[in-house]
Amino acid sequence: RKRELAGILATQGKTGEAELLARQALQETMARTGKNTLSTALAIGTLCSIKLQQGETADALRLRELSITALEDSGSRSYSTMMGDMRAQLGFLLGVQNRWAEALKVYERRARDLRGNAAQFAETGSRTLIDWAMALQKNQRGEEAEKMLRALVDYNLKKPFVDPLYVAHLQGYHAVSLLAAGKNRDALAEFREAFPVLIRQAETDSSSENGGFVRQYRLRLIAEGYLEL
């Protein structure tokens, strides 16, 4: 109950109160179920997400690693979608710290592990990630990154409804990839699609308690790419 409430408070930007509740929930969960359990892994994950929202990425990384260890030691399968989600955030946090080689290894392990359940993989695939593509880009594998991002943009634009901010992030990352490949005209076209949405969100964030670290981080990567035009 406290863990769920902590998550709600965090989405409202009340991260101080959320952290207090999340820590209480973690202590109570460990006392009740033990260290290496699914419940403990989830409780650690909640606290990790709050620390990330606060911009305390070193603490968030440490907590994400602990949550993965707890989930592994609980007997969870390496191909579980929960494990995949935790590894995805671990890869993101490594990228935030510019540890791109390590981030890419995490994403590639995640993809291999998800293939361990053939039936599940046939249904969900590796659930390609925007941040995986950026890790490819940062590891001089730009052609793969551009292909992945183009597929993500095209797929999401065909959906009847999709979060416009997510699409803008995809377009911005795709623009960065195109720019690195010397395709300046195509990159500029993607930047022009992305920036109106990104700017509106940035204006909202600046007047809100809940600025959203992930949104700000992605905007910075996109803006840095644009300045290279």
Side-chain angles (χ1 to χ4, degrees):
R1 181 68 177 177
K2 286 183 179 179
R3 182 173 68 83
E4 288 80 2
L5 181 55
I8 293 170
L9 288 170
T11 62
Q12 297 174 345
K14 300 174 182 178
T15 56
E17 297 171 61
E19 181 180 352
L20 178 61
L21 275 177
R23 289 189 181 279
Q24 291 175 355
L26 175 57
Q27 291 172 353
E28 293 170 5
T29 300
M30 290 183 68
R32 185 176 68 254
T33 69
K35 180 180 179 181
N36 297 319
T37 64
L38 171 60
S39 296
T40 295
L42 289 171
I44 297 171
T46 298
L47 183 56
C48 167
S49 297
I50 292 167
K51 299 307 287 185
L52 174 59
Q53 188 172 335
Q54 292 171 334
E56 297 182 24
T57 57
D59 283 347
L61 176 59
R62 177 180 58 83
L63 289 164
R64 180 50 68 201
E65 290 172 334
L66 288 172
S67 71
I68 290 172
T69 298
L71 189 60
E72 287 175 332
D73 291 346
S74 75
S76 178
R77 301 291 187 180
S78 61
Y79 53 71
S80 73
T81 55
M82 184 177 297
M83 183 69 78
D85 290 344
M86 287 189 178
R87 290 201 187 282
Q89 192 176 60
L90 176 61
F92 172 78
L93 287 163
L94 288 167
V96 168
Q97 296 189 359
N98 291 317
R99 295 162 63 179
W100 290 107
E102 294 171 73
L104 184 56
K105 287 179 181 179
V106 168
Y107 288 125
E108 291 179 336
R109 176 182 176 179
R110 172 185 175 275
R112 287 194 304 271
D113 286 348
L114 288 173
R115 290 178 181 275
N117 184 327
Q120 174 184 280
F121 190 82
E123 183 177 345
T124 66
S126 62
R127 297 191 292 178
T128 304
L129 303 165
I130 180 175
D131 301 301
W132 181 9
M134 183 55 71
L136 286 166
Q137 184 66 48
K138 295 291 187 178
N139 280 279
Q140 291 74 53
R141 291 168 60 179
E143 186 175 344
E144 294 170 73
E146 196 278 326
K147 182 179 179 181
M148 185 182 290
L149 288 162
R150 168 44 59 194
L152 283 167
V153 170
D154 290 345
Y155 173 74
N156 281 278
L157 287 177
K158 291 175 184 176
K159 287 184 176 181
F161 175 78
V162 65
D163 180 3
L165 182 60
Y166 176 61
V167 172
H169 284 146
L170 285 173
Q171 291 170 324
Y173 273 35
H174 187 222
V176 171
S177 183
L178 288 167
L179 186 62
K183 302 176 183 179
N184 291 20
R185 180 172 297 182
D186 291 340
L188 182 58
E190 286 284 62
F191 279 129
R192 284 174 172 165
E193 290 291 327
F195 267 120
V197 177
L198 296 175
I199 291 170
R200 283 198 298 272
Q201 184 61 56
E203 290 172 346
T204 300
D205 286 346
S206 67
S207 61
S208 168
E209 292 182 357
N210 183 15
F213 176 86
V214 175
R215 294 195 299 268
Q216 294 173 8
Y217 170 75
R218 287 181 176 158
L219 175 59
R220 178 171 62 79
L221 284 182
I222 294 166
E224 288 174 351
Y226 179 76
L227 292 174
E228 294 180 9
L229 267 175

